[in-house]
Amino acid sequence: MGEKRKSTSKTLVKSKKSKGPHLPNSILKTIADAKRPLNSDEEDDEIDSDDVNGGDLYEYEEGVPEEESKKNNRYDRVDNYEYELPEDFEDEDVESDDDEDGGNSDNDDEEEGEGDDDRHTRMLQSLTGMPSAAFKGESKSKPVLFTEAYPESEFNPTRDVLEGKGLITMEDLLAPLQGKPGYNELSKRISRMQKDTESVVHAPLPKPERERLERKVVKVQVEKEFNKWVPLVKRNREVPTVYFNQDVNLGYSTIGAIASEFQPRTEFEKKMASVLNDSEVWDAHKEDGARLLELNEVSVEDHIKDRNRVAKMRSLLFRHELKSKRIKKIKSKTYHRLKNKGLKAAAVALMDPEMAKEVAMKQEVERVEERMRLKHKNTGKWAKRMISRGLNVKYDGTRAAISEQLQVHETLSRKISSTKDGSSSDESDDDEELNNGSDQDTPSKLIAKAREKTLQTVEDDEVPNSGLLSLPFMARAMKKKNEEANEEAKRALEEYEEWENSGGAENLKKSAEVSGRRVFGATAKVEAPKESKRESDNFYDNSDSDNDMEGIENNDLGPVRDIASPAKNSGAITETEKFDDVVGNPASKTTFDVALFASGSWKKMKGCQNAESKKPPKTLVPISESQNKKELRDEESEDSESEAEQMVDGILTSASKETYEIPSQADLIQRAFAGDDVVDEFEKDKQAVLNQEVPEPEKPVLVPGWGQWTNIQNRRGLPLWMVREHEDAKKKREQALKTRKDARLKHVIVSEKVDKKTEKLHTTALPFPYTSKEVFEHNMRMPIGPEFNPATVVGALNRPEVVKKAGVIIKPLKFEEVNPNDKGDDGNHQKQRPKKGSKGQSKSKRKTKA
Amino acid sequence: MEVSSEDNNLMEKVVPPVEQEIDVELETKVKKYLRGGGANLETLKDKKLKSQLASRENLYGKSAKTAAKIEKWLLPAEAGYLETDGLEKTWRVKQTDITNEVDILSSRNQYDIVLPDLGPYKLDFTASGRHMLAGGRKGHLALVDMLNMSLIKEIQVRETVRDVAFLHNEQFFAAAQKKYAYIYGRDGTELHCLKERGPVARLRFLKNHFLLASVNKSGQLHYQDVTYGQMVASIRTGKGRTDVMEVNPYNGVVALGHSGGTVTMWKPTSQAPLVHMQCHPGPVSSVAFHPNGHLMATSGKERKIKIWDLRKDFEEIQTIHGFHAKTLSFSQKGLLAAGTGSFVQVLGDSSGASSHNYSRYMNHSMVKGYQIEKLMFRPYEDVLGIGHSMGWSSILIPGSGEPNFDSWVANPFETSKQRREKEVHLLLDKLPPETIMLDPSKIGAMRPARRKEKPSRGEIEADKEVAIEAAKSIELKKKTKGRNKPSKQTKKKKELVENAKRTFREQEHKTTFKKRRIGEEDAAAVGELPTSLKRFARKY
């Protein structure tokens, strides 16, 4: 800016006069006054500095005369403006320029403005009415104003020069040399040089602009560089699977491969290798084992030693086995008990003999104490009291309790006495055990034994002469019991005899083996008195009774009978059983076998046409008496049964027609209209379900006592909000009913209950990338497992996003040409089975994962 | 007349098929394997997801195509069919006619086994169709190898046998006997007595879930896990006694037919029936499910067979009049057999797959007097097994069985090693009982929205935003000159938005009110906070 000023110094005179808008003085003054207090500190400072130079009125002065002068002169203002404006607008730093302008203008005034000054003072005079001297003084003082601290010289460059504004041109430098020898030459050279260069070296652009430019260029370059990679990266992003390092050879993959390169290093290894790699051994291996044996020679001594050792071990083992076998065979409980005890005692004794003694003593004391206490005799406090007060006579319960006590005592005491017998009882125990163990092999023995036992029990029922049992009622009871027992025993004895007579060893065996629900043949008879099959049938089960089976029995297939479980015992023999006993042939009982229908009844026929002709004669046996019993069954069973019979009848007989009963009129009507109001019922059901699943809102009810203070409230009825709430709830319910699946379907109720257990089978939120439920569910519709897809596609369907080898560093992406129009998918397809050798291909699969 | 029986016969069409035809055929097959097509990806905004899904969809397409091709070219056998000339009707074809036409192996499947003594027979086949179990009402249980027609084991339990069912393979079977149900081994040994169920009327085994379902005489439905014996569910149906029970093979839902003409469908995890349908005015006598689970056939005592669509609305598709079926059975290829008295009728789906129209396909009358008890198609064979009062019979129904078996699913020629392997696989793939539901394809999908009594905070927020947006987008009316100033308009708009907000503020206030009362200590805690932290305390 400054330099421009200098170069256009002639016009400056006019230009500098333009200062702000051309306003009347008075206005300017007021403005100035108004501004002053408002101005910031900086401005104040400026003003201060002005004051120092006596320039308090400076601005004011300067602005005004110029304006005035212009007005007076009536110069074409337009010209001035045209000149001025662009300069003003070009200004960037307005404030500083103003300052400079001020400075410059001062200087200019000094240098050139004599005439001007005169006019100026005159004008001031006329305006203010003050003597011109005052202004003169002022104006005179003006030249005194210094803007620079030092005189202007080359040693004291002005600020302009320092800032590079006041440029020293080549002419300036040459001027003093003018006329000196060599000047012409110099000037010529310089002019030539100027011509040569012509262009002036401009000042460099401002830094930000320069940088901006630089950035622009760099951007273009970088973009070019980067765009090259775009297709590659894009492709890698789009492929469903990225492969890394497919071409890297990881080396050994098997232990065998590693082992194959083993080199023996240590002494031992070398020896081993020499043996292993011995060609003789190898050959022997290759051919057959014979040569190997030869190679594997053992010295005679070694062999004998070994043999002896083995023999010794064997004999030891054998002896041990024998010993343990013998011990195990001993069946005596006492022996074992003693043995165990002995072992234990030995253990204790081993620990400490004194302690063992102590323990023994303690045990003994305990035993004696127990014997002495007689807890169960009627010597207790309670029992004594009861007896003394005669309560035992009065109350049945008490009496029973006391007698029970006594009984317990009796048993206890008997036990004691039996223990006194000692080893004899043990023996008998053993015997029993033995028998129990072997009873399956010797049934006759068992029978004999049983008989013996029963006889024994019958015989040795002596009544004790004293004690409670000698009381008359007890005696009576005992007698009764004994009689019963005797009877039973007799029956049992009879049975035993029968068995023995019938040689029923086999039979028995069978009965012993058959376990569970079913028993065949004669064993049935044993339990027969305790059965009440009919009763149980009627009780448990209406439709299908065991009488089905009786039908079979009668069809001469043998008396197959379902023997009920022991739970069914009570009551007397039923008709069925009796009937069975009459009809049943004892011989057939024994020969009965499970394979009832094995061969005889199996008929395979070609075509059904000839089925009738080949009917087995067996089936012709009419259904006999057993049918009479069917009356007892209820209707349902009759339905099913009669069906079964009819089919028999259709071919065979008309026997079942006798059993058919014409149902009563009421029954018929009931059957005919059984399902009449089914639809109505269903509707009711539906309503019930709806009410349950979408419950009806509760009716609004006032709490008694609330809102009943006055009649007014009573008259008004329920508060409005309650009614509204109720209506809202109703509407909601209707809406819910409408949205149900079965809303439009009259004949269907679809439950909309939420099953909490199934909730875990659904996702609560959409999985990450998905944004719409529909898309997600559509994508989930296809199973991807090997069961549902062809083997060729399963791999592709289940391939992970990244395929890499474990432990191999992923190298950064390498550049490679990619056709942007090429679809990533094809590339993927190629990569399905990357070969180790195909380096070029696998390189393209690398990708940096960002 | 030409009759061709399936699988083993090698009479294949030699006519070179036109390419287009193949394409069309392949297309339909691909569609089947695509399981309903992908979602519309255009609606997605996320580009990355879109490309991912597109590639996935591409793979699915590939898979379906390969599967279709495999089905087209690699499956060896064709389904059997019955072809008639001119006026001949398929239902006039008799078994004797068929015998003359088919190969020896197939003709061996026509037979009657006469066992007159032990009552009407119930039948059950294993999934592979290799083994059959026959249970005579009077206690005769027989396990038969159908491939070489040999009796593996028969036992006489000397009790009424009401129903029989195979468990997961022929090694075990269950029989509903007089008092309890029992599980027997292949060799006839009694393994378990299922006492908990009471006297069982019907037994069914759910293969994928390893559940033995039974309904007892008092109308209780029991589910028992046969792997570890636990009773998974015991449900009182409350509909009285029933002996109509069938399992939907598609989803494992058990259907019961009741005397009131209703059919109820059950799952073990709920005490209430999933579906409750009024099917007939009279008692329901039998129920059967199509193997794909979409169709159900019911028959009522009022001499009608009805076919229902289970997919959407449980609508009745078709009613077949004048035939009371005591037992119904669907074949693998969708033929429906109905038996009553001594007469068997087989209905075929004459129309295409989309609209079901069942009409007469074949008839068969047994010897008069034979009462049919149970019909069951033998899997992977064109054979219908008939259990009746005089034993059991087997007849040929061309086109009933699936011609190609998948050895991963069921292998009729299984070796014992394979069977063992399969058993382990089955056990590993056992489905928990919760997975029984009407639409199992919904497993893994989003949880169906539950109706809530009060909207959550987030929902309120969302609603609020919607309301505010709506308020903002309201176009104000142009009013007269003085009142149409922009300032006024903005003011008005602000008011509208404020109003919209206010309603929600009240709601929020309501919801939070109670909370505030409960958490009064929290408020006190805020008071205790140092002043610098107070501004972070939540303001109520």
Side-chain angles (χ1 to χ4, degrees), chain A residues 464-483:
Chain A
N465 309 345
S466 62
L468 193 85
L469 292 177
S470 64
L471 287 171
F473 67 90
M474 284 300 271
R476 249 180 285 141
M478 289 277 276
K479 210 175 174 186
K480 226 180 186 178
K481 239 185 191 173
N482 281 339
E483 267 168 20

Side-chain angles (χ1 to χ4, degrees), chain A residues 717-730:
Chain A
L718 290 167
L720 201 60
W721 64 269
M722 270 190 177
V723 177
R724 214 174 274 159
E725 215 166 53
H726 182 64
E727 269 170 15
D728 271 358
K730 261 188 172 177

Side-chain angles (χ1 to χ4, degrees), chain B residues 437-453:
Chain B
M437 54 176 83
L438 276 181
D439 188 1
S441 65
K442 282 278 174 289
I443 290 172
M446 282 280 284
R447 180 184 293 176
R450 217 196 292 176
R451 265 191 219 102
K452 277 182 204 159
E453 297 193 351

